[in-house]
Amino acid sequence: MNLSGPKKDLDIANKAIDCMKSTTDFSEFQESWENFLFRIERAWEFTERTLKSKKGFQKWHKPYTDLRKKDPLLVFLRQARNAEMHSVSPTVTKPLKMSVVDKSGRGFQLNSISSRLENGTLTIDLDSPDILLDLDTRIVPTDPEVVRFKNRGKWYNPP
């Protein structure tokens, strides 16, 4: 019995995890995430196909198959792979976070905030009773996040 294929896939999945931990580029993170999802699913499927004819496999295999159907993380990962590979829905995002501060360091009041996105330009309107505000907007670094997604009519939430 040769399981070198699944072993290779698991090694590649492990490298994808290392890449996700170290990269600061979201596109690289997303590529590693998709590769991780693909490789762990392929390792499982290849192992099943290789071992299914072996004596005692079904008895050994059943608890793990049941776990894959019930464990929230395992269900999420499998469905995330399906959503990503079939271009159904993205499963990871990098949120945009901004801070708005008065350049003098003093606080200010806000009545309302509105925003719009037109032709790739984000415009944020701040309504404040304060006068002579000298505001500065800063982009705050964020980490990628897995997100809720829909696959085959069902919603999956990150565990």
Side-chain angles (χ1 to χ4, degrees), residues 46-57:
F46 190 100
T47 302
E48 277 183 322
R49 285 189 197 111
T50 302
L51 299 178
K52 70 181 177 184
S53 64
K54 302 294 182 194
K55 183 178 179 183
F57 174 73

Side-chain angles (χ1 to χ4, degrees), residues 8 15-16 26 28 33 38 41 56 68 71 76 123 128 133 138:
K8 178 182 174 188
K15 288 178 185 171
F26 180 67
E28 192 174 307
W33 168 247
F38 172 76
E41 185 63 22
R68 276 177 47 102
D71 183 85
F76 182 85
T123 303
S128 173
L133 289 175
R138 297 181 186 130

Side-chain angles (χ1 to χ4, degrees), residues 25-60:
D25 179 80
F26 180 67
S27 293
E28 192 174 307
F29 180 92
Q30 192 170 26
E31 182 180 333
S32 295
W33 168 247
E34 292 170 4
N35 197 18
F36 167 76
L37 294 172
F38 172 76
R39 294 297 180 158
I40 60 171
E41 185 63 22
R42 189 164 92 167
W44 173 265
E45 290 175 1
F46 190 100
T47 302
E48 277 183 322
R49 285 189 197 111
T50 302
L51 299 178
K52 70 181 177 184
S53 64
K54 302 294 182 194
K55 183 178 179 183
F57 174 73
Q58 293 303 324
K59 184 177 180 181
W60 172 87

Side-chain angles (χ1 to χ4, degrees), residues 121-145:
T121 301
L122 176 64
T123 303
I124 302 171
D125 295 314
L126 305 174
D127 178 25
S128 173
D130 297 332
I131 56 173
L132 300 174
L133 289 175
D134 187 16
L135 299 178
D136 187 26
T137 304
R138 297 181 186 130
I139 303 298
V140 179
T142 61
D143 291 327
E145 297 176 357

Side-chain angles (χ1 to χ4, degrees), residues 15-150:
K15 288 178 185 171
I17 290 171
D18 290 341
C19 182
M20 286 186 281
K21 287 179 184 177
S22 64
T23 189
T24 57
D25 179 80
F26 180 67
S27 293
E28 192 174 307
F29 180 92
Q30 192 170 26
E31 182 180 333
S32 295
W33 168 247
E34 292 170 4
N35 197 18
F36 167 76
L37 294 172
F38 172 76
R39 294 297 180 158
I40 60 171
E41 185 63 22
R42 189 164 92 167
W44 173 265
E45 290 175 1
F46 190 100
T47 302
E48 277 183 322
R49 285 189 197 111
T50 302
L51 299 178
K52 70 181 177 184
S53 64
K54 302 294 182 194
K55 183 178 179 183
F57 174 73
Q58 293 303 324
K59 184 177 180 181
W60 172 87
H61 182 252
K62 184 170 177 7
Y64 298 105
T65 302
D66 291 346
L67 185 63
R68 276 177 47 102
K69 293 177 184 175
K70 294 176 185 171
D71 183 85
L73 177 59
L74 296 177
V75 169
F76 182 85
L77 291 173
R78 183 172 188 196
Q79 293 302 323
R81 178 261 175 213
N82 293 341
E84 290 285 359
M85 293 302 132
H86 301 294
S87 301
V88 174
S89 177
T91 61
V92 66
T93 187
K94 185 166 181 169
L96 175 64
K97 294 186 182 179
M98 295 180 278
S99 68
V100 178
V101 295
D102 185 275
K103 289 180 182 176
S104 67
R106 63 184 179 166
F108 59 95
Q109 294 180 348
L110 287 177
N111 292 332
S112 65
I113 301 173
S114 64
S115 63
R116 65 184 177 280
L117 183 61
E118 294 175 3
N119 300 323
T121 301
L122 176 64
T123 303
I124 302 171
D125 295 314
L126 305 174
D127 178 25
S128 173
D130 297 332
I131 56 173
L132 300 174
L133 289 175
D134 187 16
L135 299 178
D136 187 26
T137 304
R138 297 181 186 130
I139 303 298
V140 179
T142 61
D143 291 327
E145 297 176 357
V146 290
V147 295
R148 179 178 193 238
F149 63 91
K150 190 175 187 179

